[in-house]
Amino acid sequence: MKKFLAMLLAMAMMLGCVAFAEAVNPDEIADNVTSADGKYELAFVTDVGQLKDKSFNQGTWNGVKLYGYQNNLTYKYYQPANGDQATDDDRYDAMKAACEGGAKVVVCAGFMQGTALAKAAAEFPEVKFVFIDGWTLGLKNVAAIAFAEEQSGYLAGYATVKEGFTKLGFSGGGGGTNPACIRYGYGFAQGANAAAAEMGVEVELKYSWQYGASFSASAELQTMISGWYETGTEIVFACGGSMFSSIVAAASANDAYVVGVDVDQSFESETVVTSALKGLSNATAWAIAKNYNGEWDTVGDVAISLGANDDAVGLPTETWSLTGWTVEEYNALLAAIKAGSVVVDNTVYENDAVTSVAFSNLKLIYE
């Protein structure tokens, strides 16, 4: 996982390729297609949680569908056996089924796929694999795509405090071992602190990995977040796939608010104030295209990190509902991040970065 600290690849080429806007709404593309010969050229192996999690899985799957739809290619998704209890063998079996089912490109979502993917990619060297939220595996047929989630988290934390919230929460998936969620949370804390310092106010942030190991919705998570809201928390960053539904349920019951993750989740609930985005759909389609454009050697065994300079992270502006901070002010801060005049720390991936940082205007309540 240390290989997340990798080079940024061909930035100018990526601009426009991984931006959020899409000509076709991939959610409107069919999830199931019929193949005349029973073979499916594009495959997606899901992360834990549901395919339609309104977050990480769904955003990545949309990229597979988008490319297939636009290029008249068959596609199919494979969910490892045993759900959120899936093992490396379960994930490998799903990848093997995809390869034996005719896949030329297999997209695998989530850091838990690493061990199984290394085995499958070595066994099927003629198949190309796209590892979303992954790292290089020393195999030329694997492209590793990661994101600068700390930048997106920073923007969301900054926006939240500018909107007037001072009692914040962060509920993360992966149990504190998922690098993407760690970056999101650490960035969120940094952004909230920066806005608070500018405004001369103090904010608090409840911060927890409890009940998020499997990224699943649960009664336990909903109860915990309801307790937060009942004791003063105003808004919670729901950072973990299907965990979103439990946190939204708690917010709805308490007239409170939510920050979404990965995709624009404002369509799912009126409680969502903004969402910390990363360009999952277009980045996935972009990576798949490298195979069909004869450019795979530019991404194979290369760790690619996409951030603000690639228009691959940010906040949704088309559904902007903030009243305390404008789109123009957001664009100015985003430009500062791109220019390097605002730097978001991303140095800690494998433990909770927030526990080792002294924030000037943010009180951390680690739970």
Side-chain angles (χ1 to χ4, degrees):
M1 291 185 188
K2 297 295 186 183
K3 292 183 179 179
F4 272 101
L5 296 169
M7 67 172 146
L8 303 177
L9 176 70
M11 292 305 182
M13 177 177 63
M14 291 179 184
L15 287 172
C17 295
V18 294
F20 303 122
E22 294 155 346
V24 178
N25 180 359
D27 283 321
E28 297 177 357
I29 301 172
D31 290 320
N32 298 292
V33 298
T34 300
S35 171
D37 61 1
K39 302 291 186 180
Y40 294 87
E41 191 158 333
L42 305 180
F44 174 52
V45 178
T46 69
D47 194 13
V48 292
Q50 304 171 9
L51 176 72
K52 296 294 198 175
D53 61 0
K54 303 179 178 63
S55 186
F56 183 61
N57 273 330
Q58 188 166 342
T60 308
W61 173 230
N62 280 347
V64 177
K65 292 194 299 178
L66 184 68
Y67 191 86
Y69 174 83
Q70 292 177 330
N71 294 277
N72 198 29
L73 300 174
T74 54
Y75 51 84
K76 183 176 180 179
Y77 65 88
Y78 298 78
Q79 294 182 289
N82 298 311
D84 61 14
Q85 301 301 312
T87 65
D88 288 334
D89 287 340
D90 294 327
R91 297 183 184 96
Y92 164 77
D93 288 343
M95 295 174 200
K96 181 180 180 182
C99 294
E100 292 178 343
K104 293 183 179 179
V105 181
V106 178
V107 176
C108 302
F111 80 118
M112 294 180 180
Q113 306 274 19
T115 299
L117 203 164
K119 180 180 178 181
E123 184 174 338
F124 297 94
E126 74 285 0
V127 177
K128 303 301 192 295
F129 291 82
V130 178
F131 191 5
I132 299 294
D133 274 7
W135 57 94
T136 52
L137 298 171
L139 296 165
K140 293 294 186 181
N141 60 331
V142 179
I145 310 292
F147 297 85
E149 291 93 352
E150 72 282 352
Q151 295 176 342
S152 187
Y154 183 97
L155 291 163
Y158 190 97
T160 298
V161 173
K162 283 293 185 178
E163 189 66 2
F165 296 104
T166 60
K167 306 292 185 181
L168 320 179
F170 170 83
S171 179
T177 64
N178 179 287
C181 290
I182 290 172
R183 289 195 293 270
Y184 266 134
Y186 185 27
F188 186 75
Q190 292 178 71
N193 182 69
E198 288 181 11
M199 298 168 66
V201 300
E202 300 291 326
V203 300
E204 71 174 32
L205 174 62
K206 290 185 177 178
Y207 199 96
S208 177
W209 300 104
Q210 292 187 67
Y211 310 118
S214 68
F215 298 88
S216 299
S218 69
E220 293 82 3
L221 176 62
Q222 184 174 337
T223 297
M224 182 184 79
I225 301 301
S226 287
W228 286 9
Y229 286 134
E230 290 167 3
T231 54
T233 299
E234 300 162 325
I235 189 167
V236 174
F237 186 6
C239 187
S242 296
M243 295 167 63
F244 173 78
S245 62
S246 294
I247 295 170
V248 162
S252 297
N254 289 276
D255 294 322
Y257 298 95
V258 174
V259 173
V261 74
D262 288 342
V263 299
D264 184 356
Q265 295 185 309
S266 64
F267 300 101
E268 309 302 329
S269 172
E270 293 182 354
T271 66
V272 175
V273 171
T274 189
S275 299
L277 305 180
K278 59 185 182 183
L280 289 165
S281 178
N282 282 337
T284 299
W286 172 85
I288 294 171
K290 291 301 178 183
N291 176 63
Y292 293 95
N293 293 342
E295 300 173 340
W296 187 262
D297 59 344
T298 66
V299 296
D301 197 29
V302 175
I304 300 163
S305 180
L306 303 175
N309 283 321
D310 312 295
D311 294 328
V313 298
L315 304 181
T317 56
E318 291 185 0
T319 57
W320 194 269
S321 64
L322 302 173
T323 59
W325 198 45
T326 67
V327 172
E328 291 73 22
E329 289 171 321
Y330 158 74
N331 285 332
L333 179 57
L334 183 62
I337 293 174
K338 290 180 177 181
S341 56
V342 171
V343 178
V344 188
D345 187 18
N346 68 348
T347 56
V348 183
Y349 296 119
E350 309 224 14
N351 56 57
D352 292 338
V354 294
T355 62
S356 59
V357 174
F359 295 101
S360 62
N361 290 65
L362 181 144
K363 177 183 179 183
L364 183 69
I365 304 172
Y366 194 85
E367 297 193 350

